[in-house]
Amino acid sequence: VLYKESVGTGTPTPVTPEMERVKRNQEICSSVLYKENIGKATPTPVTPEMERVKRNQEIISSVLYKENVGKVTPTPLTPEMERVKRNQEIISSVLYKEHVGQATPTPVTPEMERVKRNQEQISSVAYREGLGKATPSPVTPEMERVKRNQEQLSSVLYKEHMAKGTPTPLTPEMERAKRNQENISSVLYSDSFRKQVQGKAAYVLDTPEMRRVRESQKHISTVKYHEDFEKSKGSFTPVVTDPITERVKKNMQDFSDISYRGIQRRVVEMERKRVDQDQETLTG
C-alpha cells in the first residue's frame, strides 16, 4: 500500500510488436531454465489408491467443466457428419481388434445358459417397465412404400457384400435327403394342421367396412351377370351334329309325336280288333 502511494501518475505506452517478441523470449527462457533446474526423479508405481484418486479427479473435473459450459447452439446432423462418424467407429473397431490378444475359450455350461436366459428375461422385463404410454399411428401408403424401398435397398446392399461362392454338384444322395426333408416337413405340417386347424372355424369380425365391401361385391356381381345375360340374349350356342345326336333327336321326336297325337292308343285299339277278328274266325 505504501509503495503504491509513493508511485506517481505514469504515462501508458502502447504494446509494440518488439515488446511482444521480447515477452515471448522471456517466457521461453524461463521455461528452459526451469527444466534445467529439475533433477532426476524416482518413478513410483501406480497403486489402486492412486487410480481411485485419479478417477475422482476426472469426475470432479468433468462436473466442474459441465457447470462452466454455457448455452450452445445445436447444429443439424448432416450426411457428411454421419459419414465421418461411421468412419471413426470403423477405425476404432479395427484399432481395438488389433490390440486384442489371444484368449482362452471357455465351454458354455448349462449353468451359464440358465444365467444368460435369466438375464435376458430380467432385461426384457426392466425394459418394458421403463416404457411409457405410446400413441399408435396408422400405417399410411407412403410409409408402406418407404418400408418396401428400405427392404429392397437392404437386400441389394446385402447381396453386394456377399462373396463369390463355390457351386457344389447336386448328387443323388443330396436329392434323396432333400426329398426326405420335404416329406418330413409335409408330415409334421399335416399333423399340426389336423391338431390345431382341422375341424375349427376361423372367426372373422363382421365390421361395417367388411359388410360394405360384401354388399359392393354383390352389386358388382349382379350388374356383371345382367350385362352378360343381355349380351347373350337372342343368341345360341352352335353344337356339332353327329350321328348319335341325330338318332337321339329322332327318337325324342318320335316319342313326342306318339304322346301328342295319341298314336299309341290307336295302336292298342287296332290290336284289340285284330284279336277279336281272329277269335271270330276260329269259332266261325
Side-chain angles (χ1 to χ4, degrees):
V1 175
L2 294 175
Y3 169 75
K4 292 182 180 180
E5 287 179 356
S6 59
V7 175
T9 304
T11 304
T13 58
V15 179
T16 61
E18 182 65 20
M19 295 174 67
E20 288 284 342
R21 185 181 65 78
V22 172
K23 184 177 179 182
R24 282 198 302 274
N25 291 337
Q26 288 294 329
E27 291 175 354
I28 294 170
C29 292
S30 299
S31 175
V32 171
L33 293 175
Y34 173 75
K35 291 181 180 179
E36 287 179 353
N37 294 328
I38 294 176
K40 296 182 178 179
T42 304
T44 57
V46 180
T47 60
E49 181 65 20
M50 294 174 67
E51 288 285 343
R52 185 183 62 80
V53 173
K54 185 178 178 182
R55 282 196 301 273
N56 292 339
Q57 288 295 329
E58 290 176 354
I59 295 170
I60 293 169
S61 299
S62 176
V63 172
L64 295 175
Y65 172 75
K66 292 180 180 179
E67 287 180 355
N68 295 327
V69 174
K71 295 181 179 180
V72 297
T73 304
T75 58
L77 196 59
T78 61
E80 182 65 19
M81 295 172 67
E82 286 284 344
R83 186 183 63 80
V84 173
K85 184 178 178 182
R86 283 197 301 272
N87 292 339
Q88 288 295 328
E89 290 175 355
I90 294 170
I91 294 170
S92 300
S93 176
V94 172
L95 294 176
Y96 171 75
K97 292 180 180 179
E98 288 179 354
H99 295 293
V100 175
Q102 295 180 353
T104 304
T106 57
V108 180
T109 60
E111 181 65 18
M112 294 172 68
E113 287 285 343
R114 186 182 63 80
V115 172
K116 184 177 178 182
R117 284 196 301 272
N118 291 341
Q119 287 294 329
E120 290 176 355
Q121 293 172 359
I122 292 170
S123 299
S124 176
V125 172
Y127 172 75
R128 293 179 182 176
E129 286 179 354
L131 288 174
K133 295 182 179 179
T135 304
S137 58
V139 179
T140 60
E142 181 65 18
M143 295 171 67
E144 287 286 341
R145 186 183 64 79
V146 172
K147 184 178 178 182
R148 283 197 300 273
N149 291 340
Q150 289 294 330
E151 291 175 355
Q152 292 171 0
L153 292 174
S154 300
S155 176
V156 171
L157 294 176
Y158 172 74
K159 292 179 180 178
E160 287 180 355
H161 294 295
M162 290 178 68
K164 294 182 178 180
T166 304
T168 56
L170 196 60
T171 61
E173 181 65 19
M174 294 172 68
E175 286 285 346
R176 185 182 64 79
K178 184 178 178 182
R179 284 196 301 272
N180 291 339
Q181 287 295 327
E182 291 176 354
N183 293 335
I184 293 169
S185 300
S186 177
V187 171
L188 294 176
Y189 173 76
S190 300
D191 290 342
S192 176
F193 176 77
R194 282 194 295 270
K195 291 178 182 178
Q196 299 180 7
V197 180
Q198 191 174 14
K200 296 181 181 179
Y203 296 98
V204 181
L205 296 176
D206 191 11
T207 59
E209 182 65 19
M210 293 181 68
R211 285 196 293 269
R212 186 184 64 77
V213 172
R214 189 165 58 244
E215 290 294 331
S216 300
Q217 289 293 330
K218 287 181 181 178
H219 294 325
I220 293 170
S221 300
T222 305
V223 172
K224 184 67 177 174
Y225 172 75
H226 284 292
E227 184 179 352
D228 294 340
F229 175 75
E230 292 294 333
K231 287 181 180 179
S232 61
K233 188 170 64 175
S235 61
F236 61 92
T237 304
V239 180
V240 179
T241 304
D242 54 352
I244 297 175
T245 306
E246 287 288 341
R247 183 176 60 80
V248 172
K249 185 177 178 182
K250 188 175 182 301
N251 292 338
M252 293 301 295
Q253 190 172 358
D254 293 340
F255 286 132
S256 299
D257 291 342
I258 290 171
S259 299
Y260 177 72
R261 299 175 183 177
I263 297 175
Q264 184 70 27
R265 188 165 54 258
R266 192 178 306 170
V267 170
V268 172
E269 291 178 356
M270 291 175 65
E271 184 66 24
R272 188 181 300 122
K273 289 180 180 179
R274 188 180 63 78
V275 172
D276 293 340
Q277 291 176 359
D278 292 341
Q279 288 179 354
E280 290 178 355
T281 303
L282 293 174
T283 56

